[in-house]
Amino acid sequence: MEVKKKDIRALTKEQLREFFVKQGDKAFRGNQVYEWLWKKSAYSFEDMTNVSLETRKALEDNFVINHIKVDQMQRSSDGTIKNAVRLHDDLIVESVLIPTGTRTTACVSSQVGCSLDCKFCATSRLKRMRNLNPDEIYDQVVAIDNESRLYHNRPLSNIVFMGMGEPLMNYNNVLKAIDKITSPEGLGMSPKRIVVSTSGVPKMIKKMADDEVKFKLAVSLHSAIDDIRTSIMPFNATFPLNDLREALQYWYAKTKNRITYEYVVWDGINDTRKDVDALVEFCKFAPSKVNIIEYNPIDDGEFQQANSSAIDMYVNVLEANGITVTVRRSRGKDIDAACGQLANKS
């Protein structure tokens, strides 16, 4: 009977050192292998050229590296790249490279499908099949960093957890991945260049504050009126705005970090002065920034981008109340890589 090999990247450095000691080898071999796995992103044990053949065979006999494979890469006319990423069990997720004049940003997925039920998002139509492991999240970042260097002549500068899935529903693995991404033994990126975007899970926002995370927080809000938010994001009935606001107040009190709200304005849904006033009121408890995001249709016609006068009204009222606001134009729409469009159609 064939013994199932362990995923080597599920082991800590200490566990790798212990493995080698048990094999009658020196503990520092674990350090070498750990560096190959994380800092050098080795795809196979054969890549580990400063490790003896005998050691590589021992690794091959006991472990696997469940590396992702970019199954398909699509390039948009605006330079955006979308990867269809095949996991070791043949499930697919998508991740996106978004270039601008000064930076390149990786938009990465945290779940296969999604745990939540936002009606305007294509990913929510896929049932959640499983959480991604830390190494699968990490590998998406490595792949996009390589593409950034190849196609845009610069290393990856920023990461947003705004791909498929709700990051806070895969909290432990997301934090482990970020730890590897920011560690000097991994990619060495600054946590200040990482944004975790949540639809709003109050208990987990408080946990992030208690865990003293160093990355930034964004909240996919879209309405500050409970019944409207519930109509477009049904889970809001379980996590209502009062609970979300209380959790964000707790976050700000602990971290003193400004909160970013992601906000789409739709025709006939949240495009009135009453909607803007509710948003202003919701933002008052802490320094905040609102990103108004262009809507990207997902084919059914129920949600339509509001007209420019509604967007202008939001901008004017928010600015008049001292709230920073940015209108974000979508990138990668021609390859279904824009916000809310990731649904494994590639």
Side-chain angles (χ1 to χ4, degrees):
M1 189 176 97
E2 191 179 341
V3 178
K4 190 164 187 270
K5 296 178 185 178
K6 284 185 186 170
D7 175 4
I8 192 167
R9 288 190 293 177
L11 273 57
T12 63
K13 189 201 283 188
E14 201 46 55
Q15 287 170 324
L16 272 174
R17 288 168 61 87
E18 286 169 12
F19 167 78
F20 282 107
V21 170
K22 282 179 187 168
Q23 294 280 312
D25 207 334
K26 294 187 170 55
F28 81 87
R29 289 268 176 258
N31 300 9
Q32 285 180 303
V33 171
Y34 190 87
E35 183 180 27
W36 276 108
L37 293 172
W38 297 108
K39 192 154 197 168
K40 298 179 181 176
S41 304
Y43 275 59
S44 73
F45 299 117
E46 285 177 20
D47 294 340
M48 300 179 181
T49 49
N50 66 346
V51 175
S52 71
L53 281 171
E54 187 184 357
T55 302
R56 280 182 259 168
K57 183 174 186 319
L59 291 170
E60 198 79 56
D61 290 344
N62 287 277
F63 302 109
V64 289
I65 302 174
N66 286 330
H67 213 284
I68 66 161
K69 180 185 172 207
V70 177
D71 233 22
Q72 184 181 3
M73 185 192 81
Q74 293 173 276
R75 294 179 69 189
S76 165
S77 56
D78 63 21
T80 300
I81 292 172
K82 181 171 78 168
N83 292 327
V85 173
R86 185 173 296 277
L87 309 174
H88 69 92
D89 53 5
D90 282 338
L91 293 173
I92 303 280
V93 294
E94 293 180 340
S95 53
V96 181
L97 165 63
I98 306 158
T100 67
T102 56
R103 61 171 66 176
T104 52
T105 300
C107 176
V108 299
S109 294
S110 55
Q111 295 180 310
V112 185
C114 189
S115 308
L116 302 180
D117 49 11
C118 304
K119 291 185 178 177
F120 52 83
C121 179
T123 309
S124 71
R125 298 178 177 190
L126 309 170
K127 70 177 195 289
R128 187 193 75 81
M129 285 165 264
R130 71 170 175 85
N131 289 332
L132 292 187
N133 296 327
D135 52 282
E136 293 169 327
I137 296 168
Y138 184 89
D139 284 351
Q140 291 175 72
V141 174
V142 171
I144 291 175
D145 180 48
N146 290 337
E147 290 165 352
S148 179
R149 292 168 192 269
L150 179 63
Y151 296 108
H152 297 283
N153 297 313
R154 63 169 86 113
L156 183 68
S157 60
N158 295 75
I159 301 168
V160 292
F161 281 79
M162 294 183 190
M164 300 170 76
E166 166 53 63
L168 299 194
M169 295 292 199
N170 185 18
Y171 183 79
N172 290 336
N173 287 352
V174 165
L175 256 62
K176 285 176 184 172
I178 290 173
D179 183 55
K180 291 287 191 291
I181 290 163
T182 56
S183 166
E185 296 182 311
L187 300 183
M189 286 188 72
S190 166
K192 292 185 171 64
R193 293 181 172 273
I194 299 174
V195 175
V196 171
S197 178
T198 175
S199 294
V201 187
K203 178 175 76 173
M204 301 313 295
I205 291 170
K206 287 180 176 178
K207 180 162 176 50
M208 282 200 303
D210 288 338
D211 288 344
E212 299 180 352
V213 300
K214 300 291 187 265
F215 51 78
K216 294 176 181 173
L217 171 67
V219 178
S220 186
L221 189 64
H222 311 303
S223 179
I225 300 171
D226 259 317
D227 59 343
I228 294 174
R229 194 167 194 257
T230 299
S231 74
I232 58 176
M233 305 168 82
F235 69 88
N236 185 70
T238 308
F239 306 130
L241 286 165
N242 274 346
D243 293 359
L244 175 58
R245 182 171 176 150
E246 184 202 341
L248 292 170
Q249 284 174 314
Y250 186 84
W251 161 270
Y252 181 71
K254 292 276 264 192
T255 68
K256 294 293 181 279
N257 285 338
R258 181 172 75 167
I259 300 157
T260 297
Y261 297 105
E262 308 289 352
Y263 202 100
V264 178
V265 186
W266 289 285
D267 185 42
I269 293 175
N270 60 349
D271 59 349
T272 70
R273 178 61 190 255
K274 178 179 147 192
D275 295 294
V276 193
D277 289 343
L279 176 58
V280 168
E281 189 60 36
F282 191 88
C283 289
K284 276 183 178 174
F285 67 88
S288 57
K289 173 187 176 187
V290 176
N291 286 334
I292 295 179
I293 302 170
E294 184 181 353
Y295 180 60
N296 307 297
I298 54 172
D299 298 337
D300 59 9
E302 182 185 351
F303 292 89
Q304 296 294 331
Q305 171 81 24
N307 62 41
S308 57
S309 62
I311 305 293
D312 291 344
M313 175 181 63
Y314 263 89
V315 171
N316 293 336
V317 174
L318 287 165
E319 287 182 341
N321 283 274
I323 298 165
T324 303
V325 57
T326 305
V327 178
R328 290 269 170 92
R329 301 296 171 202
S330 288
R331 309 291 299 267
K333 284 198 282 191
D334 56 331
I335 55 170
D336 290 327
C339 198
Q341 290 186 317
L342 300 187
N344 290 342
K345 285 201 282 186
S346 50

